[in-house]
Amino acid sequence: MSDLIRRYGVTITALMCLLVAFWLVMLVIVPNITLFEQSFRPYLPVVDVGGPKDVYSLGNYAKVFDGSIERSFFGIPYMIPVHVMTFGLTIWYSIVVTVACFALAYPLAFFMAKIANPKSLPTLLLLLFIPLWVSEVLRAFAWWIILAFKGPLNALLLAIGAIEAPVRWIVDYDGVVIGLTYTYVLFMLFPIYNAIASLDTNQIEAADDLGAPWWKIHLRIVLPHAKPGIASGCVMVFMLSAGSLLVPSILGSTTSQWFTQTIDQWFKDALDWNTASAYAFILLLLCTIFVSIALKVFKVKLSDIAK
Amino acid sequence: MSAKIDLENVSCDFGSFRAVDNANVSIEPGEFFSFLGPSGCGKTTILRMISGFIEPTEGAIKIGGKDMRGQRPNQRPTALIFQNLALFPLMPIWENISFGLEVRGVDKATRRKKAEELLELVDLKGAADKMVSQLSGGQKQRVAIARALAVEPSVMLLDEPLSALDLKLRQHMRAELRAIQKRTGVTFIYITHDQGEALAMSDRVGVMSQGRIQQIANPRDIYNAPINGFVAGFVGENNIFEGKSGAIAAGMAGFDTAYGTLRARINDDAKGKALRLYVRPEHTLLSAAKAEENSIPVTVSEVSFEGAFISVLCHSDDGKLIVAELRNDGSATVPDIGTKLHASFAAARAALLPDANVRG
């Protein structure tokens, strides 16, 4: 602090601190605490707010267990609360998106970091960035058009003879997974790219020289080195996917429901902000726990990711 | 387990730049061969061509008589030790050493045993379970050597592996490397820009400049009988005189300079080329009286004490710097600054040499 004052003077230091404090308190802490407090109170008519019925309870959180439906698992039928199922499917397809992003990003990141001519790298990065200049809504709609039953993707695949009849792409969660993968793949690419770029190329050559085949080099040298980057990419993609509302809304099918959509419905359709808040905190809490467990399993420390 | 390496008319181009130009060298099995030259002379390119990371543009590289063209680094019987060692920081020492065996599908117990053996060979017993970051510079060096030896290569390629070590350790590792080479009998090809290193360790040295091998000889001949001015200048200090050579007789020639006609050795093939006279400072003598031959009157301008020897800087009447080195063994009196003396040298100790062999 005294260092800051010495460097920038009292006025600018005070201003910086105030701005940071404003951002933290007004834009992060207060809204979250408000929602958190709300989530424990029942949704009441305005006249009852603050009255005897307005007491703290876990009732809003318990609502996820309401309304079970029947499903079957390998022919064995079982009952599951519909919101729990939505949550489970959201987590599952977020994992699918994360894996898909990794499968796409890792080879590209390796290519960019170790194979591509450094001179062509700016062009490559520009090509990757240009789509980001377009609004996310438009990009989601673009995919909606591309994936349409009579859309360009089917037309192309039919023309080159890869398929014999047009495919319904936007069924179940397929459209959502494709859209989310497209939207968040760069969040996977850059951490991995940075991690691989920091790997000494001599290590790859040394492994090669010692007789390692290419897959062994990746398994033993590149992947372990890139692990923190991969982990931070995975955490970002997973959290963003699980928390995405736009893409599931646009590219979802009649049989897909994302947990964020459920939250959105509590907010906007039911106008029950209390239950919506409770659901939002369930998502936040469980995703955080899930990610922490995943990091433990893959032996990655949080401090490694921050690098 | 060692092989002969032949470079036959090997050239390597990077775009329009010729990094290595028509290199021919035959390295014997079990030999310690050094490529010596300044940075950018093409020595690392030669090493990378032998190890297979670069293919020669022209010519052939043969290991054990077999043409290596098209063979990937992992298919060649070579092991490269990188300048920065390139140890794997995320593996313990023993896994580093046995990595080459791991990729060959050797089982874990055998690998561990082999790693322990190699650690003993390089004098690092008990370090098997340490991590790379826990070792000192010299210890990392040994691990790198052990890792390369583990795959039982016919040829070890070393790319200035000692350059990151401090002076004392470097001298120690020189002896160590030499001893390991003798013990294993593997052919060592060593790259360095440090002439002391090359001369001290090698059976033979190839001096390079601007992509060309200038001279291949044993260390003594490189120092005592350099083939041209570049080699003489790169592997030691010289007093150099400009002039015009006269008739050659019995390997000696007169050389007309501003200080009269000096006599020096000359090779027959140097005839007709532009020559300069080179004489080492330690062969330059200082005396009060005029010497019989090759004598130049000088004034002492500076005396520099270097420890093992004393460097006496003199200037001739026309201002040319002539350096003489006296051994610091009490046999010579150190002259005072300003003393007028005669610098001289034996004709047999001086040589008339052409400039470096470069592409014209």
Side-chain angles (χ1 to χ4, degrees):
Chain A
M1 186 58 117
S2 59
D3 190 47
L4 276 179
I5 294 173
R6 193 161 44 76
R7 233 186 261 182
Y8 301 109
V10 179
T11 325
I12 292 180
T13 307
L15 200 65
M16 283 197 293
C17 291
L18 272 174
L19 285 172
V20 172
F22 175 81
W23 182 77
L24 259 180
V25 174
M26 295 309 288
L27 303 179
V28 180
I29 297 172
V30 170
N32 273 293
I33 285 183
T34 313
L35 281 184
F36 191 63
E37 195 261 350
Q38 243 180 47
S39 71
F40 293 103
R41 284 162 44 189
Y43 177 44
L44 296 167
V46 180
V47 286
D48 286 337
V49 172
K53 287 187 198 161
D54 199 353
V55 288
Y56 290 126
S57 77
L58 289 170
N60 293 331
Y61 289 87
K63 281 185 194 162
V64 280
F65 298 110
D66 292 352
S68 291
I69 52 162
E70 192 180 295
R71 289 269 138 172
S72 72
F73 182 74
F74 288 111
I76 308 156
Y78 63 97
M79 297 298 286
I80 185 168
V82 66
H83 290 164
V84 172
M85 189 187 72
T86 304
F87 183 81
L89 287 170
T90 302
I91 296 289
W92 167 245
Y93 284 109
S94 295
I95 293 171
V96 171
V97 168
T98 308
V99 171
C101 281
F102 174 73
L104 285 172
Y106 180 78
L108 184 57
F110 185 79
F111 174 81
M112 280 165 54
K114 291 294 167 204
I115 299 171
N117 184 345
K119 272 189 227 150
S120 61
L121 208 56
T123 321
L124 214 64
L125 290 174
L126 193 68
L127 286 175
L128 289 168
F129 271 122
I130 285 176
L132 289 186
W133 297 353
V134 180
S135 130
E136 201 183 334
V137 183
L138 286 181
R139 279 183 289 145
F141 267 116
W143 272 106
W144 192 69
I145 294 166
I146 292 168
L147 297 175
F149 190 66
K150 293 199 170 176
L153 182 64
N154 275 335
L156 178 77
L157 292 176
L158 281 169
I160 62 169
I163 51 173
E164 285 179 0
V167 176
R168 282 209 184 275
W169 294 104
I170 306 180
V171 289
D172 208 20
Y173 284 88
D174 295 1
V176 180
V177 168
I178 293 171
L180 286 175
T181 304
Y182 170 76
T183 309
Y184 296 127
V185 70
L186 291 187
F187 289 90
M188 183 70 89
L189 181 72
F190 287 110
I192 300 182
Y193 166 75
N194 280 336
I196 297 179
S198 72
L199 174 67
D200 176 12
T201 308
N202 281 347
Q203 287 196 19
I204 297 173
E205 291 189 342
D208 188 5
D209 190 56
L210 288 167
W214 66 269
W215 59 268
K216 191 96 186 174
I217 296 175
H218 281 278
L219 206 64
R220 292 286 272 144
I221 312 295
V222 187
L223 275 169
H225 178 87
K227 202 162 89 172
I230 293 168
S232 88
C234 287
V235 169
M236 270 203 273
V237 170
F238 176 79
M239 286 302 230
L240 288 169
S241 299
S244 175
L245 175 62
L246 185 93
V247 174
S249 309
I250 294 173
L251 289 167
S253 71
T254 48
T255 52
S256 78
Q257 171 83 353
W258 214 244
F259 197 69
T260 50
Q261 289 177 293
T262 307
I263 298 173
D264 190 52
Q265 282 152 8
W266 279 116
F267 268 120
K268 292 192 200 142
D269 300 342
L271 294 174
D272 180 353
W273 281 41
N274 306 78
T275 309
S277 308
Y279 274 47
F281 278 101
I282 289 173
L283 182 66
L284 178 66
L285 188 72
L286 291 184
C287 283
T288 309
I289 291 171
F290 179 80
V291 166
S292 312
I293 292 170
L295 291 181
K296 262 264 154 48
V297 169
F298 290 104
K299 296 191 180 115
V300 185
K301 286 195 213 89
L302 214 56
S303 54
D304 291 336
I305 292 178
K307 275 189 270 189
Chain B
M1 263 305 282
S2 60
K4 190 173 192 294
I5 297 126
D6 294 294
L7 271 64
E8 293 171 359
N9 308 318
V10 171
S11 296
C12 182
D13 295 334
F14 295 119
S16 60
F17 174 70
R18 177 149 279 207
V20 174
D21 187 34
N22 198 24
N24 278 289
V25 54
S26 203
I27 299 166
E28 297 301 321
E31 190 174 9
F32 197 123
F33 190 96
S34 293
F35 284 103
L36 172 67
S39 59
C41 73
K43 55 191 193 302
T44 300
T45 308
I46 284 194
L47 200 74
R48 292 177 70 81
M49 284 194 289
I50 298 173
S51 58
F53 289 108
I54 309 175
E55 283 286 355
T57 315
E58 290 161 28
I61 292 172
K62 293 179 179 169
I63 300 178
K66 196 169 152 246
D67 194 342
M68 284 290 133
R69 183 163 283 277
Q71 301 272 306
R72 298 262 314 112
N74 57 19
Q75 297 166 317
R76 299 189 183 201
T78 58
L80 177 59
I81 295 184
F82 290 79
Q83 189 163 10
N84 66 354
L85 305 181
L87 297 176
F88 307 131
L90 300 174
M91 299 181 199
I93 298 303
W94 79 270
E95 278 186 33
N96 257 284
I97 292 174
S98 64
F99 184 78
L101 304 173
E102 184 187 326
V103 301
R104 283 165 177 75
V106 177
D107 69 275
K108 193 171 168 180
T110 318
R111 278 190 277 137
R112 174 85 197 197
K113 199 165 145 278
K114 182 79 184 171
E116 305 265 10
E117 276 171 32
L118 284 162
L119 278 172
E120 209 170 323
L121 178 80
V122 296
D123 236 351
L124 259 184
K125 226 174 150 184
D129 291 308
K130 287 191 181 163
M131 295 305 281
V132 175
S133 56
Q134 291 171 280
L135 301 188
S136 69
Q139 289 173 323
K140 284 181 193 163
Q141 196 72 58
R142 289 160 208 248
V143 173
I145 294 164
R147 185 178 72 176
L149 285 171
V151 297
E152 295 180 357
S154 317
V155 185
M156 282 269 263
L157 305 166
L158 301 97
D159 185 6
E160 305 205 26
L162 303 187
S163 56
L165 304 179
D166 61 59
L167 181 67
K168 272 268 171 266
L169 196 53
R170 203 154 64 218
Q171 285 170 342
H172 176 72
M173 284 307 295
R174 276 184 202 173
E176 197 88 345
L177 269 180
R178 186 74 181 139
I180 290 169
Q181 193 258 342
K182 284 267 175 288
R183 239 177 289 164
T184 56
V186 173
T187 313
F188 271 45
I189 300 180
Y190 194 91
I191 294 290
T192 183
H193 63 262
D194 181 331
Q195 42 121 341
E197 226 166 83
L199 297 183
M201 290 194 288
S202 319
D203 293 316
R204 281 192 302 158
V205 178
V207 183
M208 291 190 69
S209 172
Q210 297 181 40
R212 287 204 173 182
I213 299 180
Q214 304 287 331
Q215 184 174 11
I216 297 170
N218 66 47
R220 275 173 203 230
D221 286 346
I222 291 282
Y223 190 82
N224 291 333
I227 202 167
N228 61 38
F230 175 82
V231 177
F234 196 76
V235 296
E237 302 299 320
N238 298 278
N239 292 311
I240 304 170
F241 297 92
E242 313 268 348
K244 248 179 104 69
S245 59
I248 301 173
M252 304 292 274
F255 195 63
D256 297 324
T257 68
Y259 316 101
T261 301
L262 304 175
R263 285 176 55 73
R265 285 181 289 126
I266 188 165
N267 278 336
D268 284 339
D269 58 354
K271 225 184 321 189
K273 291 181 187 164
L275 300 173
R276 273 188 260 224
L277 190 150
Y278 292 79
V279 61
R280 302 279 185 206
E282 69 267 28
H283 296 149
T284 305
L285 310 168
L286 293 171
S287 55
K290 189 174 185 301
E292 270 174 38
E293 58 170 359
N294 300 338
S295 189
I296 300 160
V298 292
T299 310
V300 177
S301 53
E302 204 181 317
V303 176
S304 161
F305 182 74
E306 308 274 356
F309 60 89
I310 297 153
S311 193
V312 182
L313 280 63
C314 310
H315 280 92
S316 67
D317 295 340
D318 60 350
K320 182 177 170 55
L321 175 71
I322 297 172
V323 183
E325 277 172 17
L326 308 175
R327 286 176 57 83
N328 185 22
D329 57 0
S331 63
T333 47
V334 180
D336 294 325
I337 291 170
T339 318
K340 291 208 178 291
L341 294 169
H342 289 272
S344 65
F345 50 88
R349 296 289 200 186
L352 293 171
L353 302 173
D355 287 341
N357 169 18
V358 293
R359 254 147 59 89

